[in-house]
Structures are given as C-alpha cells and as structure tokens.
Amino acid sequence: MDWIIYGKNPVREAIDAGKQIEKIFLQREMTGEFETYIRNHCKNNDIPLSKVPDIKLDKLSKNKNHQGCVVFVSKIRYYTMEEVFSSQDDLGCVAVILDGVTDVRNMGAIARSALAFEVNGIIVTSGGSVSLHEDAIKSSSGALLQIPVCRERNVMIAIEKLQQLGYKVLATDARAKQMIHHFQPEGPVALILGSEDRGVSKEAMRIADERIGIVQSAKIDSLNVSVSAGIFFYELYKWVKK
C-alpha cells in the first residue's frame, strides 16, 4: 500500500476502494465538486483535513503533479468504538482516550505499555492528536499494529459513548485526591491521558466521572504522559490480576 497518494483521480480511487485515510491535505484556495467531495468524506469519517498552500503540497509530494491534493493512507486499521467496546464489557476492560497527545515518541511508548498491560483499545481524535504515521508505528515497536485504535471526532464524544456503555471515565490529574494505587475498579474503566503541556482539557475534566492521580515526590510537578500512562496501566492491570 502506498503511504502517500496525490492527484485527484488516484485520491478518489483510493477513497472509493475503501482505503483507510490518515489525513488529507487540500490546496487552500480549492473549491468546486472535488473539494466538496473530500470535505464531506472527511466530515463523515472523522478524517483530519488541512487546507494548505501549494508550497506545502509540493513538499509533501516531492514536487510531483499533486493537483491540489495529497493524502496520507493509514498503515493501521481504525476501528469504530462499537467494534472494540461493548455494554457487556466487565471488570478488567480498559479504554484509553488520548486528549491532545501530539508527540510521536509518547504515542509509541503509550501504545507499548497499553499492549503490555492488556489495554483493550486506544481512542484518538481526528483533530489535535498525533498522526499515526510510519514514525509512530516504528516508535511503538509495532504495538500500534496489534492494539485496536479507534478514531472519534473529539474527546467529548468518546467520553460520552463510553459512559453510555457503562465505563467509568477517569481523568488523569496531578492534583487529584484519589490515587490510582487505592482505586478499586468495579467494572470497565476508561483513562483520559492529556497533552504534554496542558494535561487533560477542562471540558473533558468536567464530564469525567472522577479525577485520579499518582503518588510522587514534590521535587517535580508532573511526569511525562507516557511514563504516567505506564504507571496507570500497571496499577489497573495489577488489580484485575489479583
């Protein structure tokens, strides 16, 4: 499978053939039937769409005849949340929601830890999260090819869907009073992991069922998100495997 496709006809053929798309770049000034087709496809399938100048498209296509469109084809399969999570899920089922994690290395490390501690699936958003391209897969040592990854339009939709399925949604927070090593899950759990610079967003924090943290020294404000993720996954895994 080609990683990059460019040109209107090849792009349309790839979409019509059901190729899973990571991201689409369109010429900033493009209008008309093709632009409408791409915009609607991205909206209906939660695919990130960027309107960019020609110089960006030239760089992505290595100065080939891109005709105003460059597409990154996904090397992983994106699942729907309904395929991975269910109202029948019980104690031991863990979902992970990434709220603005943008660093490829953090994404890779989170995926490796998720696989090691039997996390059921990772949920990313179509905007504001790291693209799962070749570097992310390599950084994860292939874990992203083994653990189910879902893509939702935004974090709020992901949280609400999991809550409707009976998941208790925990927002990771360095200032939380409840610590993960004391937490005793009574059913399926979802963890929200925030961005490297601002943590979990206020909107996600507001609708989460609970805030949860890690006991640590006061010598440092917070841990790297991928390090925190490993600790959270381990504590949940340890409790379930008792």
Side-chain angles (χ1 to χ4, degrees):
M1 178 188 295
D2 292 335
W3 174 232
I4 295 179
I5 298 174
Y6 48 84
K8 292 182 179 180
N9 285 338
V11 166
R12 189 186 288 269
E13 289 170 3
I15 290 173
D16 290 346
K19 301 294 186 185
Q20 292 217 335
I21 306 301
E22 181 67 33
K23 189 169 185 177
I24 297 181
F25 295 86
L26 278 184
Q27 183 184 51
R28 184 178 290 163
E29 295 79 14
M30 182 181 289
T31 58
E33 185 272 336
F34 182 77
E35 188 275 342
T36 301
Y37 167 77
I38 292 295
R39 181 160 37 84
N40 288 338
H41 181 73
C42 290
K43 180 180 179 181
N44 294 335
N45 294 277
D46 297 325
I47 297 170
L49 172 64
S50 292
K51 294 289 193 77
V52 297
D54 270 329
I55 189 171
K56 175 70 171 180
L57 296 172
D58 291 340
K59 182 178 180 181
L60 290 172
S61 65
K62 297 183 179 179
N63 294 310
K64 300 292 177 58
N65 183 22
H66 52 70
Q67 297 179 305
C69 184
V70 175
V71 167
F72 281 40
V73 178
S74 178
K75 289 196 172 183
I76 70 166
R77 176 192 169 188
Y78 283 110
Y79 293 80
T80 66
M81 288 184 62
E82 291 75 14
E83 288 177 298
V84 178
F85 307 107
S86 164
S87 60
Q88 304 302 312
D89 291 342
D90 207 339
L91 180 66
C93 292
V94 178
V96 175
I97 304 170
L98 301 187
D99 182 12
V101 175
T102 57
D103 185 84
V104 169
R105 289 168 296 183
N106 280 335
M107 180 69 227
I110 290 169
R112 290 198 304 274
S113 294
L115 188 63
F117 297 117
E118 299 183 4
V119 167
N120 295 73
I122 298 173
I123 303 162
V124 299
T125 59
S126 55
S129 291
V130 64
S131 293
L132 304 187
H133 48 57
E134 198 164 25
D135 290 341
I137 295 170
K138 183 177 180 181
S139 179
S140 76
S141 300
L144 282 169
L145 299 176
Q146 300 179 64
I147 188 168
V149 178
C150 308
R151 182 165 61 190
E152 275 295 336
R153 189 163 303 170
N154 59 57
V155 170
M156 306 301 278
I157 291 174
I159 294 172
E160 289 171 358
K161 281 187 176 183
L162 287 168
Q163 287 173 329
Q164 289 169 6
L165 291 171
Y167 276 71
K168 186 166 189 176
V169 178
L170 309 174
T172 57
D173 183 2
R175 297 175 296 278
K177 294 181 180 179
Q178 168 77 297
M179 296 293 112
I180 186 64
H181 68 283
H182 288 313
F183 180 71
Q184 298 182 7
E186 299 175 352
V189 171
L191 276 175
I192 312 173
L193 298 174
S195 67
E196 294 84 352
D197 56 346
R198 61 177 175 80
V200 175
S201 63
K202 292 180 181 179
E203 296 80 9
M205 197 79 78
R206 186 177 65 252
I207 69 169
D209 297 304
E210 197 168 329
R211 300 183 183 190
I212 199 154
I214 296 168
V215 173
Q216 64 181 70
S217 165
K219 293 180 180 179
I220 191 168
D221 291 336
S222 62
L223 297 171
N224 175 279
V225 63
S226 62
V227 174
S228 297
I231 296 171
F232 282 115
F233 298 162
Y234 168 70
E235 290 291 345
L236 290 173
Y237 180 79
K238 183 174 66 173
W239 169 257
V240 171
K241 295 298 180 181
K242 282 183 178 179

